[in-house]
């Protein structure tokens, strides 16, 4: 039986990517698309690359428009979905791609977002190590899912195997991410103009202010981090429309070697369809993940510095957002986890 879907915030980048992926899904069918300022326009006039959805018209984003669908995906700005989700009726599964339901600690929400705090939903990173299991165990049969922050899931997937296996320490983590501006959304902002981005790399949210920091720490604690978890997180906007390349380092735990480090990541991701550890000496490029639901990871040990170096690449709009949302929805609906999602990127 076809599963009916509504996408709230269908005029933005995350909403458009959800729709592109949903069109390839054999079980999910988009019936309703909503927007704010673009309501009343044809979807194809706002998302001209989605030719197969030319029959859809954007409607106002209200609980009434969204209720009654089997699945509702939210691709709204942070703080916009929480109140709406509370008003949904007769919706089997809701998946929020914003931050409103990610954090479990109200103090973290107040410090990094502000405004009303909404209860945490099941976190949508199936491969993430949680205790002795994986987050996919919690996603099975879930009715409310919080898709991850793209930077947060990249870093969490980079570090969780080492934290869980005890081969790295969690008290001196450092990550620098090269990120595409699509992660900031579609709204017009001066610092995201082409003239401001071309030919330059621009750091932002420097000094521990990025909103994904508490989400990373929350995920690493779930993976087994004990004691202090400290991370220095520095994102840098670079002139590529989509993609994340995260270079993350951690202190090598006493008595660990390059062999035990690699064994930890191999054991964690050997059977994962979408998170792949590259062979020794190989490191990923963002270009190899574009359009795919894959996270590629390269691993090295800097013996002189006593640190493990993890380099991860993914498409922030696919594995970082929309792909993770659909992968998690598949699990919640009892469908094959990989349904409608591809490991293959687009090249060149």
């Amino acid at each position: 039986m076809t599963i009916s879907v509504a996408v709230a915030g269908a005029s933005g980048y995350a909403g458009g990517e959800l729709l592109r992926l949903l069109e390839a899904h054999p079980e999910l069918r988009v019936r309703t698309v909503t927007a704010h300022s673009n309501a009343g326009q044809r979807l194809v006039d706002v998302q001209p690359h989605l030719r197969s959805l030319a029959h859809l018209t954007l409607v106002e984003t209200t609980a009434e428009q969204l209720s009654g669908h089997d699945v509702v995906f939210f691709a709204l700005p942070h703080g916009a979905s929480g109140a709406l989700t509370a008003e949904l009726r007769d919706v089997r599964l809701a998946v929020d791609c914003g931050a409103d339901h990610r954090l479990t600690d109200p103090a973290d929400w107040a410090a990094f977002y502000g405004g009303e705090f909404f209860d945490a939903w099941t976190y949508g990173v199936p491969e993430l190590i949680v205790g002795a299991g994986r987050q996919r165990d919690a996603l099975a049969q879930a009715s409310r899912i919080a898709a991850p922050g793209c930077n947060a899931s990249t870093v969490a997937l980079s570090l969780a195997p080492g934290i869980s296996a005890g081969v790295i320490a969690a008290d001196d983590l450092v990550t620098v991410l090269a990120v595409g501006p699509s992660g900031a959304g579609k709204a017009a902002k001066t610092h995201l103009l082409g003239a401001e981005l071309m030919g330059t790399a621009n750091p932002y949210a420097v000094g521990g202010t990025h909103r994904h920091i508490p989400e990373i720490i929350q995920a690493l604690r779930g993976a087994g981090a004990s004691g202090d978890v400290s991370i220095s997180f520095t994102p840098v906007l670079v002139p590529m429309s989509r993609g994340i390349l995260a270079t993350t380092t951690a202190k090598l735990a006493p008595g660990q070697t390059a062999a035990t480090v690699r064994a930890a990541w191999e054991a964690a991701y050997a059977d994962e369809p979408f998170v792949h550890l590259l062979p020794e000496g190989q490191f990923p490029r963002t270009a190899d993940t574009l359009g795919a639901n894959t996270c590629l990871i390269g691993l090295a040990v800097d013996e002189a510095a006593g640190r493990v170096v993890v380099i991860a690449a993914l498409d922030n709009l696919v594995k970082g957002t929309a792909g993770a949302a659909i992968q998690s929805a598949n699990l919640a609906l009892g469908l094959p986890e990989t349904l409608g999602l591809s490991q293959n990127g687009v090249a060149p």
Side-chain angles (χ1 to χ4, degrees), residues 161-162 165-168 250-267 277-281 283 298-304 306-310:
V167 300
I168 59 174
K251 290 188 299 186
L252 187 65
Q256 301 302 317
T257 66
T260 60
V261 167
R262 175 158 284 273
W265 270 261
E266 286 178 342
L277 178 66
L278 299 181
E280 188 170 357
F283 299 93
L299 189 64
V301 175
D302 185 336
E303 301 280 3
R307 296 187 74 85
V308 175
V309 182
V310 188

Side-chain angles (χ1 to χ4, degrees), residues 112 155 159 163 168-176 207-208 212-221 225-234 248-251 307:
F112 285 86
V155 177
L159 293 172
I163 295 289
I168 59 174
D171 63 343
D172 182 20
L173 307 170
V174 179
T175 186
V176 178
H212 287 174
I213 290 173
E215 187 180 338
I216 296 168
I217 294 173
Q218 179 176 290
L220 295 182
R221 289 196 186 282
S226 58
D228 291 336
V229 180
S230 173
I231 185 165
S232 173
F233 179 103
T234 306
T248 306
T249 73
K251 290 188 299 186
R307 296 187 74 85

Side-chain angles (χ1 to χ4, degrees), residues 44-132:
V44 75
D45 292 334
V46 180
Q47 303 279 20
H49 62 297
L50 300 176
R51 308 309 298 179
S52 66
L53 295 174
H55 60 286
L56 293 177
T57 297
L58 294 160
V59 299
E60 288 284 350
T61 303
T62 66
E64 289 74 21
Q65 295 282 9
L66 299 170
S67 293
H69 294 82
D70 296 313
V71 183
V72 177
F73 291 95
F74 289 88
L76 301 174
H78 303 321
S81 60
L84 271 174
T85 59
E87 299 177 19
L88 291 180
R89 297 291 181 270
D90 301 320
V91 171
R92 174 180 173 186
L93 174 64
V95 184
D96 188 7
C97 293
D100 291 22
H101 297 285
R102 292 176 192 156
L103 299 182
T104 59
D105 188 343
D108 285 340
W109 180 265
F112 285 86
Y113 291 93
E116 184 177 357
F117 175 78
F118 297 95
D119 290 340
W121 288 358
T122 306
Y123 194 50
V125 184
E127 304 89 351
L128 188 64
I129 297 171
V130 180

